[in-house]
């Protein structure tokens, strides 16, 4: 799987649960896969396509949660 469509998010607890739900919703709507990985400074959210990654970044921004490219 491509590692180029990933974002690192620094969140924990309920925020992280919320983001997992949003990632699932975005990926399901686009009919693509997604996964998370541990990162040194947070959690890496990866998607099979770049459009889903962009939508997830917009979602993070609207929730006030910082994210950055991995």
């Amino acid at each position: 799987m491509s590692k180029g469509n990933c974002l690192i998010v620094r969140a924990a607890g309920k925020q992280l649960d919320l983001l997992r739900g949003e990632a699932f919703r975005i990926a399901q709507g686009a009919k693509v896969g997604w996964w998370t990985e541990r990162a040194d400074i947070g959690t890496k959210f990866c998607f099979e396509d770049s459009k889903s990654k962009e939508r997830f970044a917009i979602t993070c921004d609207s929730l006030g949660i910082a994210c950055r490219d991995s």
Side-chain angles (χ1 to χ4, degrees):
M1 292 189 184
S2 171
K3 298 281 184 182
N5 298 316
C6 299
L7 293 168
I8 294 178
V9 176
R10 292 186 72 173
K14 290 184 180 185
Q15 275 189 331
L16 190 56
D17 291 341
L18 175 64
L19 290 177
R20 285 187 183 116
E22 290 298 314
F24 173 79
R25 183 185 59 76
I26 290 167
Q28 185 179 37
K31 297 181 180 164
V32 299
W34 72 283
W35 64 97
T36 62
E37 299 175 0
R38 294 183 110 188
D40 291 338
I41 56 167
T43 303
K44 188 184 290 189
F45 283 79
C46 300
F47 298 87
E48 289 182 344
D49 72 337
S50 60
K51 288 185 181 182
S52 296
K53 173 189 161 187
E54 292 170 16
R55 291 193 67 204
F56 185 72
I58 291 168
T59 299
C60 288
D61 190 47
S62 70
L63 295 171
I65 301 170
C67 65
R68 65 176 182 92
D69 284 328
S70 65

